[in-house]
Amino acid sequence: MFGVNVSPFLLSATIKYHIEKYREQYPAATEMLDTCLYVDNVISGAENISQALKLSKDADTIMKNASMTLRKWNSNNQTLRRNWKEEGLEIHPRHSEDSSQIPSSKVLVIPWNVVHDYFTFDVKELMELDTSKPITKRVVLQSAGKIYNLVGFLSPYTIRLKYLLQELWLRKLA
């Protein structure tokens, strides 16, 4: 069944149908799964470690009841990672106890420095423009399309490219 165009929709609909059964029992976890799930990634946070642990355990229980395992739990908090490990949740990447050895992780393809808790974007190739050919609307559109901005972090910059493209069309420039 997977590999067919409708598969992501069917998966999403199945998950939404399943979590509705737990809305009263686990309100915070079902809300998180309903709003913070993107294909096979859950990206969320909590006010404190105990809340994050409860949320993750509840979400894990809900999904296990559907025979779906949530894996690759990750946090910038070493205590939470240790608690997850004690609870039997699979943490990712498998860290050593020395938090300085924790490598970068990826969140929806965006590199995340787990130790210092920041995201990075490599914009070097975006800055390179092939000047051997004339710059056209197609080149501007290709430049805008290179920017993977699912979470919206780069929107203050990508909106400028979109505005430029709109101006080119309105002025009927090639």
Side-chain angles (χ1 to χ4, degrees), residues 38 41 43 107-110 119 121 147-156 158:
Y38 181 78
N41 291 278
I43 302 166
V107 177
L108 295 175
V109 191
I110 301 170
F119 293 98
F121 299 91
I147 302 170
Y148 184 77
N149 188 35
L150 182 67
V151 182
F153 290 140
L154 299 176
S155 292
T158 59

Side-chain angles (χ1 to χ4, degrees), residues 72-95:
K72 297 183 179 180
W73 293 92
N74 203 351
S75 173
N76 61 341
N77 186 289
Q78 190 172 352
T79 305
L80 181 57
R81 287 193 309 272
R82 193 172 23 254
N83 288 341
W84 280 337
K85 196 171 187 176
E86 290 168 4
E87 292 291 332
L89 297 175
E90 179 188 326
I91 59 173
H92 180 77
R94 292 185 175 89
H95 307 299

Side-chain angles (χ1 to χ4, degrees), residues 122-129 143 146-147:
D122 185 13
V123 294
K124 289 177 191 155
E125 77 174 48
L126 298 176
M127 303 304 283
E128 296 170 4
L129 195 58
S143 296
K146 287 181 184 179
I147 302 170

Side-chain angles (χ1 to χ4, degrees), residues 151-169:
V151 182
F153 290 140
L154 299 176
S155 292
Y157 304 101
T158 59
I159 194 73
R160 292 177 186 208
L161 277 173
K162 292 174 184 177
Y163 180 73
L164 172 63
L165 194 58
Q166 183 181 36
E167 281 292 315
L168 294 173
W169 278 103

